[in-house]
Amino acid sequence: QKEVEQNSGPLSVPEGAIASLNCTYSDRVSQSFFWYRQYSGKSPELIMSIYSNGDKEDGRFTAQLNKASQYVSLLIRDSQPSDSATYLCAVNIRRDDKIIFGKGTRLHILP
Amino acid sequence: ETGVTQSPTHLIKTRGQQVTLRCSSQSGHNTVSWYQQALGQGPQFIFQYYREEENGRGNFPPRFSGLQFPNYSSELNVNALELDDSALYLCASSLGGPGETQYFGPGTRLLVL
């Protein structure tokens, strides 16, 4: 089982709708979880981090964490064409404190 | 802007050569990680340095090595370049210790011919 798994997509969502991105992880004791956005040809930029079970909201973005089920998700409300990018899920693997990334999900917002 | 810089931005090398990539972090960022990102893939963890000591390594051969310096700069060295080493190399630094929120530099795109 891979340490961090994401559906590679592409995920197509109409403009104005909610985009839902999912990620599962294998390390049961992971404590820190991150979502990054990466535009083509650019480096990843941090959207948000989440550490506790439940929801964390920042503007149009909501991260959701469920440690019992070992998944973390990102919701993007009122999707805009500028949200079209690859979204990377990253998890702190506690046994050696390294941050591991999933392969990313390509999101395409349809105008 | 993350305050993390990398040089050079692009680099072309031939198979068998050696390359050194550089990264400069913000003051106080004690942890730096290096990642390799092939086209269409997520960043793959190469290694991590914390307070100038290697503090974790991914599944990369010993010809990938690094250093971290007291002035919050670091470098990634790759010996005996192979065609498959062609990728975007990213460094990421964090203010806290290993596993804390990381901020990425713009990356160095390496092409091995």
Side-chain angles (χ1 to χ4, degrees):
Chain A
Q1 183 184 7
K2 292 183 179 177
E3 291 175 303
V4 182
E5 294 203 61
Q6 295 182 256
N7 187 322
S8 61
L11 175 65
S12 296
V13 173
E15 183 176 355
I18 296 175
S20 178
L21 304 159
N22 299 312
C23 171
T24 58
Y25 59 94
S26 61
D27 183 8
R28 289 186 171 276
V29 297
S30 292
Q31 296 293 319
S32 308
F33 308 87
F34 310 92
W35 282 101
Y36 286 83
R37 177 175 62 196
Q38 187 175 27
Y39 292 113
S40 181
K42 301 294 185 181
S43 65
E45 54 180 320
L46 180 71
I47 298 174
M48 61 172 34
S49 56
I50 185 167
Y51 304 96
S52 304
N53 278 328
D55 295 0
K56 179 181 179 182
E57 187 175 319
D58 184 359
R60 296 187 296 113
F61 299 95
T62 299
Q64 299 176 317
L65 176 60
N66 184 322
K67 290 184 181 179
S69 300
Q70 294 175 242
Y71 84 78
V72 57
S73 62
L74 180 70
L75 301 178
I76 307 174
R77 290 182 299 282
D78 188 24
S79 296
Q80 303 296 311
S82 59
D83 294 327
S84 297
T86 295
Y87 288 81
L88 297 163
C89 171
V91 177
N92 174 15
I93 304 299
R94 282 297 285 182
R95 66 177 178 276
D96 43 15
D97 264 337
K98 61 185 181 184
I99 295 178
I100 299 300
F101 284 78
K103 287 188 173 182
T105 298
R106 284 181 295 137
L107 175 65
H108 181 49
I109 305 301
L110 304 169
Chain B
E1 294 297 324
T2 64
V4 182
T5 60
Q6 290 186 246
S7 62
T9 55
H10 296 82
L11 199 54
I12 299 175
K13 291 285 190 178
T14 56
R15 195 169 47 183
Q17 285 188 310
Q18 178 267 342
V19 69
T20 297
L21 309 182
R22 293 181 172 83
C23 172
S24 180
S25 307
Q26 292 187 58
S27 177
H29 280 215
N30 293 314
T31 305
V32 65
S33 300
W34 284 90
Y35 293 86
Q36 179 196 68
Q37 188 175 27
L39 206 59
Q41 301 295 314
Q44 295 293 307
F45 179 79
I46 302 175
F47 45 57
Q48 173 175 267
Y49 280 79
Y50 175 60
R51 294 184 174 176
E52 301 161 49
E53 298 282 336
E54 187 177 296
N55 185 50
R57 189 175 185 91
N59 190 26
F60 281 80
R63 60 189 184 85
F64 285 78
S65 63
L67 286 170
Q68 185 186 26
F69 303 102
N71 65 351
Y72 306 107
S73 67
S74 64
E75 63 183 38
L76 164 66
N77 298 290
V78 188
N79 293 322
L81 284 166
E82 300 176 0
L83 299 180
D84 285 348
D85 295 333
S86 296
L88 179 67
Y89 288 85
L90 297 160
C91 80
S93 70
S94 63
L95 179 61
E100 298 298 317
T101 302
Q102 294 180 327
Y103 299 92
F104 282 87
T108 294
R109 191 163 295 282
L110 173 65
L111 177 61
V112 182
L113 302 176

PDB file of all heavy atoms in Angstrom, chain A residues 58-85:
ATOM      1  N   ASP A  58     -10.812  27.909   5.323  1.00  0.00           N
ATOM      2  CA  ASP A  58     -10.017  29.099   5.000  1.00  0.00           C
ATOM      3  C   ASP A  58     -10.533  29.642   3.684  1.00  0.00           C
ATOM      4  O   ASP A  58     -10.199  29.120   2.614  1.00  0.00           O
ATOM      5  CB  ASP A  58      -8.539  28.742   4.905  1.00  0.00           C
ATOM      6  CG  ASP A  58      -7.654  29.960   4.676  1.00  0.00           C
ATOM      7  OD1 ASP A  58      -8.191  31.088   4.568  1.00  0.00           O
ATOM      8  OD2 ASP A  58      -6.422  29.798   4.600  1.00  0.00           O
ATOM      9  N   GLY A  59     -11.385  30.657   3.781  1.00  0.00           N
ATOM     10  CA  GLY A  59     -11.970  31.215   2.579  1.00  0.00           C
ATOM     11  C   GLY A  59     -12.839  30.202   1.861  1.00  0.00           C
ATOM     12  O   GLY A  59     -13.724  29.610   2.472  1.00  0.00           O
ATOM     13  N   ARG A  60     -12.574  29.969   0.586  1.00  0.00           N
ATOM     14  CA  ARG A  60     -13.374  28.999  -0.181  1.00  0.00           C
ATOM     15  C   ARG A  60     -12.927  27.557   0.039  1.00  0.00           C
ATOM     16  O   ARG A  60     -13.531  26.632  -0.494  1.00  0.00           O
ATOM     17  CB  ARG A  60     -13.289  29.344  -1.666  1.00  0.00           C
ATOM     18  CG  ARG A  60     -13.899  30.694  -2.045  1.00  0.00           C
ATOM     19  CD  ARG A  60     -13.933  30.884  -3.561  1.00  0.00           C
ATOM     20  NE  ARG A  60     -12.608  30.938  -4.148  1.00  0.00           N
ATOM     21  CZ  ARG A  60     -12.110  30.009  -4.974  1.00  0.00           C
ATOM     22  NH1 ARG A  60     -12.838  28.954  -5.302  1.00  0.00           N
ATOM     23  NH2 ARG A  60     -10.905  30.161  -5.483  1.00  0.00           N
ATOM     24  N   PHE A  61     -11.858  27.378   0.787  1.00  0.00           N
ATOM     25  CA  PHE A  61     -11.286  26.048   0.989  1.00  0.00           C
ATOM     26  C   PHE A  61     -11.660  25.475   2.357  1.00  0.00           C
ATOM     27  O   PHE A  61     -11.616  26.190   3.361  1.00  0.00           O
ATOM     28  CB  PHE A  61      -9.759  26.095   0.878  1.00  0.00           C
ATOM     29  CG  PHE A  61      -9.254  26.549  -0.463  1.00  0.00           C
ATOM     30  CD1 PHE A  61      -8.921  27.875  -0.671  1.00  0.00           C
ATOM     31  CD2 PHE A  61      -9.125  25.654  -1.511  1.00  0.00           C
ATOM     32  CE1 PHE A  61      -8.455  28.298  -1.908  1.00  0.00           C
ATOM     33  CE2 PHE A  61      -8.655  26.063  -2.753  1.00  0.00           C
ATOM     34  CZ  PHE A  61      -8.309  27.391  -2.946  1.00  0.00           C
ATOM     35  N   THR A  62     -12.018  24.202   2.379  1.00  0.00           N
ATOM     36  CA  THR A  62     -12.250  23.485   3.634  1.00  0.00           C
ATOM     37  C   THR A  62     -11.502  22.171   3.589  1.00  0.00           C
ATOM     38  O   THR A  62     -11.695  21.380   2.653  1.00  0.00           O
ATOM     39  CB  THR A  62     -13.748  23.212   3.860  1.00  0.00           C
ATOM     40  OG1 THR A  62     -14.462  24.443   3.945  1.00  0.00           O
ATOM     41  CG2 THR A  62     -13.960  22.421   5.151  1.00  0.00           C
ATOM     42  N   ALA A  63     -10.644  21.949   4.579  1.00  0.00           N
ATOM     43  CA  ALA A  63      -9.974  20.662   4.708  1.00  0.00           C
ATOM     44  C   ALA A  63     -10.730  19.842   5.745  1.00  0.00           C
ATOM     45  O   ALA A  63     -11.207  20.371   6.745  1.00  0.00           O
ATOM     46  CB  ALA A  63      -8.524  20.839   5.135  1.00  0.00           C
ATOM     47  N   GLN A  64     -10.857  18.543   5.479  1.00  0.00           N
ATOM     48  CA  GLN A  64     -11.535  17.641   6.393  1.00  0.00           C
ATOM     49  C   GLN A  64     -10.607  16.486   6.711  1.00  0.00           C
ATOM     50  O   GLN A  64     -10.004  15.909   5.816  1.00  0.00           O
ATOM     51  CB  GLN A  64     -12.829  17.111   5.747  1.00  0.00           C
ATOM     52  CG  GLN A  64     -13.826  18.191   5.395  1.00  0.00           C
ATOM     53  CD  GLN A  64     -15.041  17.635   4.662  1.00  0.00           C
ATOM     54  OE1 GLN A  64     -14.923  16.795   3.780  1.00  0.00           O
ATOM     55  NE2 GLN A  64     -16.228  18.122   5.037  1.00  0.00           N
ATOM     56  N   LEU A  65     -10.502  16.154   7.988  1.00  0.00           N
ATOM     57  CA  LEU A  65      -9.611  15.084   8.425  1.00  0.00           C
ATOM     58  C   LEU A  65     -10.378  14.054   9.238  1.00  0.00           C
ATOM     59  O   LEU A  65     -11.127  14.406  10.158  1.00  0.00           O
ATOM     60  CB  LEU A  65      -8.473  15.663   9.265  1.00  0.00           C
ATOM     61  CG  LEU A  65      -7.496  14.670   9.894  1.00  0.00           C
ATOM     62  CD1 LEU A  65      -6.788  13.829   8.838  1.00  0.00           C
ATOM     63  CD2 LEU A  65      -6.489  15.409  10.776  1.00  0.00           C
ATOM     64  N   ASN A  66     -10.172  12.797   8.903  1.00  0.00           N
ATOM     65  CA  ASN A  66     -10.753  11.691   9.656  1.00  0.00           C
ATOM     66  C   ASN A  66      -9.636  10.689   9.906  1.00  0.00           C
ATOM     67  O   ASN A  66      -9.301   9.876   9.042  1.00  0.00           O
ATOM     68  CB  ASN A  66     -11.900  11.049   8.873  1.00  0.00           C
ATOM     69  CG  ASN A  66     -12.597   9.950   9.657  1.00  0.00           C
ATOM     70  OD1 ASN A  66     -11.959   9.181  10.379  1.00  0.00           O
ATOM     71  ND2 ASN A  66     -13.899   9.854   9.518  1.00  0.00           N
ATOM     72  N   LYS A  67      -9.043  10.760  11.088  1.00  0.00           N
ATOM     73  CA  LYS A  67      -7.885   9.906  11.383  1.00  0.00           C
ATOM     74  C   LYS A  67      -8.287   8.441  11.540  1.00  0.00           C
ATOM     75  O   LYS A  67      -7.513   7.554  11.215  1.00  0.00           O
ATOM     76  CB  LYS A  67      -7.185  10.399  12.648  1.00  0.00           C
ATOM     77  CG  LYS A  67      -6.467  11.727  12.470  1.00  0.00           C
ATOM     78  CD  LYS A  67      -5.705  12.114  13.727  1.00  0.00           C
ATOM     79  CE  LYS A  67      -5.007  13.447  13.552  1.00  0.00           C
ATOM     80  NZ  LYS A  67      -4.266  13.851  14.774  1.00  0.00           N
ATOM     81  N   ALA A  68      -9.475   8.189  12.040  1.00  0.00           N
ATOM     82  CA  ALA A  68      -9.915   6.799  12.204  1.00  0.00           C
ATOM     83  C   ALA A  68     -10.005   6.091  10.860  1.00  0.00           C
ATOM     84  O   ALA A  68      -9.654   4.918  10.728  1.00  0.00           O
ATOM     85  CB  ALA A  68     -11.261   6.758  12.924  1.00  0.00           C
ATOM     86  N   SER A  69     -10.467   6.805   9.855  1.00  0.00           N
ATOM     87  CA  SER A  69     -10.587   6.231   8.509  1.00  0.00           C
ATOM     88  C   SER A  69      -9.371   6.523   7.653  1.00  0.00           C
ATOM     89  O   SER A  69      -9.305   6.085   6.499  1.00  0.00           O
ATOM     90  CB  SER A  69     -11.847   6.767   7.819  1.00  0.00           C
ATOM     91  OG  SER A  69     -13.001   6.427   8.565  1.00  0.00           O
ATOM     92  N   GLN A  70      -8.432   7.277   8.176  1.00  0.00           N
ATOM     93  CA  GLN A  70      -7.179   7.598   7.489  1.00  0.00           C
ATOM     94  C   GLN A  70      -7.429   8.265   6.148  1.00  0.00           C
ATOM     95  O   GLN A  70      -6.869   7.839   5.114  1.00  0.00           O
ATOM     96  CB  GLN A  70      -6.312   6.339   7.349  1.00  0.00           C
ATOM     97  CG  GLN A  70      -5.831   5.830   8.716  1.00  0.00           C
ATOM     98  CD  GLN A  70      -5.063   4.527   8.628  1.00  0.00           C
ATOM     99  OE1 GLN A  70      -5.471   3.514   9.185  1.00  0.00           O
ATOM    100  NE2 GLN A  70      -3.952   4.557   7.934  1.00  0.00           N
ATOM    101  N   TYR A  71      -8.262   9.288   6.166  1.00  0.00           N
ATOM    102  CA  TYR A  71      -8.410  10.070   4.949  1.00  0.00           C
ATOM    103  C   TYR A  71      -8.497  11.551   5.288  1.00  0.00           C
ATOM    104  O   TYR A  71      -8.900  11.956   6.374  1.00  0.00           O
ATOM    105  CB  TYR A  71      -9.609   9.615   4.105  1.00  0.00           C
ATOM    106  CG  TYR A  71     -10.950  10.184   4.493  1.00  0.00           C
ATOM    107  CD1 TYR A  71     -11.319  11.488   4.145  1.00  0.00           C
ATOM    108  CD2 TYR A  71     -11.871   9.409   5.189  1.00  0.00           C
ATOM    109  CE1 TYR A  71     -12.550  12.005   4.495  1.00  0.00           C
ATOM    110  CE2 TYR A  71     -13.112   9.923   5.537  1.00  0.00           C
ATOM    111  CZ  TYR A  71     -13.440  11.220   5.192  1.00  0.00           C
ATOM    112  OH  TYR A  71     -14.669  11.713   5.540  1.00  0.00           O
ATOM    113  N   VAL A  72      -8.079  12.317   4.303  1.00  0.00           N
ATOM    114  CA  VAL A  72      -8.161  13.772   4.391  1.00  0.00           C
ATOM    115  C   VAL A  72      -8.691  14.270   3.056  1.00  0.00           C
ATOM    116  O   VAL A  72      -8.348  13.722   1.999  1.00  0.00           O
ATOM    117  CB  VAL A  72      -6.792  14.382   4.754  1.00  0.00           C
ATOM    118  CG1 VAL A  72      -5.707  13.995   3.771  1.00  0.00           C
ATOM    119  CG2 VAL A  72      -6.867  15.877   4.893  1.00  0.00           C
ATOM    120  N   SER A  73      -9.560  15.265   3.109  1.00  0.00           N
ATOM    121  CA  SER A  73     -10.145  15.769   1.870  1.00  0.00           C
ATOM    122  C   SER A  73     -10.052  17.287   1.824  1.00  0.00           C
ATOM    123  O   SER A  73      -9.816  17.947   2.850  1.00  0.00           O
ATOM    124  CB  SER A  73     -11.601  15.312   1.743  1.00  0.00           C
ATOM    125  OG  SER A  73     -12.374  15.822   2.807  1.00  0.00           O
ATOM    126  N   LEU A  74     -10.229  17.811   0.636  1.00  0.00           N
ATOM    127  CA  LEU A  74     -10.232  19.256   0.413  1.00  0.00           C
ATOM    128  C   LEU A  74     -11.455  19.596  -0.414  1.00  0.00           C
ATOM    129  O   LEU A  74     -11.667  19.006  -1.478  1.00  0.00           O
ATOM    130  CB  LEU A  74      -8.967  19.706  -0.315  1.00  0.00           C
ATOM    131  CG  LEU A  74      -8.861  21.202  -0.593  1.00  0.00           C
ATOM    132  CD1 LEU A  74      -8.628  21.979   0.702  1.00  0.00           C
ATOM    133  CD2 LEU A  74      -7.733  21.490  -1.589  1.00  0.00           C
ATOM    134  N   LEU A  75     -12.247  20.526   0.094  1.00  0.00           N
ATOM    135  CA  LEU A  75     -13.394  21.025  -0.645  1.00  0.00           C
ATOM    136  C   LEU A  75     -13.096  22.444  -1.104  1.00  0.00           C
ATOM    137  O   LEU A  75     -12.570  23.252  -0.338  1.00  0.00           O
ATOM    138  CB  LEU A  75     -14.650  21.033   0.239  1.00  0.00           C
ATOM    139  CG  LEU A  75     -15.098  19.700   0.840  1.00  0.00           C
ATOM    140  CD1 LEU A  75     -16.324  19.898   1.724  1.00  0.00           C
ATOM    141  CD2 LEU A  75     -15.406  18.703  -0.262  1.00  0.00           C
ATOM    142  N   ILE A  76     -13.447  22.712  -2.358  1.00  0.00           N
ATOM    143  CA  ILE A  76     -13.298  24.056  -2.899  1.00  0.00           C
ATOM    144  C   ILE A  76     -14.688  24.523  -3.296  1.00  0.00           C
ATOM    145  O   ILE A  76     -15.309  23.960  -4.212  1.00  0.00           O
ATOM    146  CB  ILE A  76     -12.367  24.089  -4.116  1.00  0.00           C
ATOM    147  CG1 ILE A  76     -11.014  23.432  -3.788  1.00  0.00           C
ATOM    148  CG2 ILE A  76     -12.151  25.528  -4.586  1.00  0.00           C
ATOM    149  CD1 ILE A  76     -10.084  23.308  -4.994  1.00  0.00           C
ATOM    150  N   ARG A  77     -15.176  25.519  -2.595  1.00  0.00           N
ATOM    151  CA  ARG A  77     -16.512  26.048  -2.898  1.00  0.00           C
ATOM    152  C   ARG A  77     -16.415  27.114  -3.976  1.00  0.00           C
ATOM    153  O   ARG A  77     -15.360  27.755  -4.155  1.00  0.00           O
ATOM    154  CB  ARG A  77     -17.143  26.658  -1.647  1.00  0.00           C
ATOM    155  CG  ARG A  77     -17.544  25.639  -0.594  1.00  0.00           C
ATOM    156  CD  ARG A  77     -18.222  26.357   0.591  1.00  0.00           C
ATOM    157  NE  ARG A  77     -17.313  27.313   1.211  1.00  0.00           N
ATOM    158  CZ  ARG A  77     -16.338  26.983   2.043  1.00  0.00           C
ATOM    159  NH1 ARG A  77     -16.140  25.713   2.346  1.00  0.00           N
ATOM    160  NH2 ARG A  77     -15.563  27.909   2.550  1.00  0.00           N
ATOM    161  N   ASP A  78     -17.529  27.314  -4.718  1.00  0.00           N
ATOM    162  CA  ASP A  78     -17.591  28.343  -5.755  1.00  0.00           C
ATOM    163  C   ASP A  78     -16.349  28.268  -6.658  1.00  0.00           C
ATOM    164  O   ASP A  78     -15.601  29.238  -6.811  1.00  0.00           O
ATOM    165  CB  ASP A  78     -17.699  29.732  -5.102  1.00  0.00           C
ATOM    166  CG  ASP A  78     -17.957  30.843  -6.098  1.00  0.00           C
ATOM    167  OD1 ASP A  78     -18.488  30.543  -7.190  1.00  0.00           O
ATOM    168  OD2 ASP A  78     -17.600  32.003  -5.805  1.00  0.00           O
ATOM    169  N   SER A  79     -16.138  27.101  -7.220  1.00  0.00           N
ATOM    170  CA  SER A  79     -14.931  26.854  -8.029  1.00  0.00           C
ATOM    171  C   SER A  79     -14.791  27.878  -9.149  1.00  0.00           C
ATOM    172  O   SER A  79     -15.768  28.231  -9.816  1.00  0.00           O
ATOM    173  CB  SER A  79     -14.997  25.444  -8.625  1.00  0.00           C
ATOM    174  OG  SER A  79     -14.970  24.467  -7.611  1.00  0.00           O
ATOM    175  N   GLN A  80     -13.552  28.322  -9.338  1.00  0.00           N
ATOM    176  CA  GLN A  80     -13.228  29.298 -10.366  1.00  0.00           C
ATOM    177  C   GLN A  80     -12.270  28.674 -11.385  1.00  0.00           C
ATOM    178  O   GLN A  80     -11.496  27.785 -11.037  1.00  0.00           O
ATOM    179  CB  GLN A  80     -12.573  30.533  -9.738  1.00  0.00           C
ATOM    180  CG  GLN A  80     -13.415  31.201  -8.665  1.00  0.00           C
ATOM    181  CD  GLN A  80     -14.701  31.765  -9.240  1.00  0.00           C
ATOM    182  OE1 GLN A  80     -14.678  32.469 -10.247  1.00  0.00           O
ATOM    183  NE2 GLN A  80     -15.828  31.445  -8.611  1.00  0.00           N
ATOM    184  N   PRO A  81     -12.265  29.166 -12.610  1.00  0.00           N
ATOM    185  CA  PRO A  81     -11.300  28.639 -13.599  1.00  0.00           C
ATOM    186  C   PRO A  81      -9.860  28.707 -13.096  1.00  0.00           C
ATOM    187  O   PRO A  81      -9.046  27.834 -13.441  1.00  0.00           O
ATOM    188  CB  PRO A  81     -11.534  29.536 -14.817  1.00  0.00           C
ATOM    189  CG  PRO A  81     -12.966  29.949 -14.701  1.00  0.00           C
ATOM    190  CD  PRO A  81     -13.217  30.107 -13.226  1.00  0.00           C
ATOM    191  N   SER A  82      -9.554  29.701 -12.260  1.00  0.00           N
ATOM    192  CA  SER A  82      -8.191  29.825 -11.732  1.00  0.00           C
ATOM    193  C   SER A  82      -7.848  28.722 -10.728  1.00  0.00           C
ATOM    194  O   SER A  82      -6.685  28.564 -10.337  1.00  0.00           O
ATOM    195  CB  SER A  82      -8.000  31.188 -11.055  1.00  0.00           C
ATOM    196  OG  SER A  82      -8.928  31.339  -9.996  1.00  0.00           O
ATOM    197  N   ASP A  83      -8.857  27.956 -10.310  1.00  0.00           N
ATOM    198  CA  ASP A  83      -8.593  26.813  -9.427  1.00  0.00           C
ATOM    199  C   ASP A  83      -8.100  25.593 -10.202  1.00  0.00           C
ATOM    200  O   ASP A  83      -7.705  24.587  -9.593  1.00  0.00           O
ATOM    201  CB  ASP A  83      -9.867  26.432  -8.659  1.00  0.00           C
ATOM    202  CG  ASP A  83     -10.323  27.507  -7.682  1.00  0.00           C
ATOM    203  OD1 ASP A  83      -9.453  28.212  -7.121  1.00  0.00           O
ATOM    204  OD2 ASP A  83     -11.546  27.645  -7.497  1.00  0.00           O
ATOM    205  N   SER A  84      -8.142  25.655 -11.512  1.00  0.00           N
ATOM    206  CA  SER A  84      -7.647  24.544 -12.333  1.00  0.00           C
ATOM    207  C   SER A  84      -6.150  24.368 -12.093  1.00  0.00           C
ATOM    208  O   SER A  84      -5.357  25.269 -12.371  1.00  0.00           O
ATOM    209  CB  SER A  84      -7.920  24.811 -13.816  1.00  0.00           C
ATOM    210  OG  SER A  84      -9.304  24.878 -14.068  1.00  0.00           O
ATOM    211  N   ALA A  85      -5.786  23.233 -11.559  1.00  0.00           N
ATOM    212  CA  ALA A  85      -4.401  22.968 -11.158  1.00  0.00           C
ATOM    213  C   ALA A  85      -4.325  21.520 -10.683  1.00  0.00           C
ATOM    214  O   ALA A  85      -5.334  20.802 -10.682  1.00  0.00           O
ATOM    215  CB  ALA A  85      -3.971  23.901 -10.029  1.00  0.00           C
TER     216      ALA A  85
END
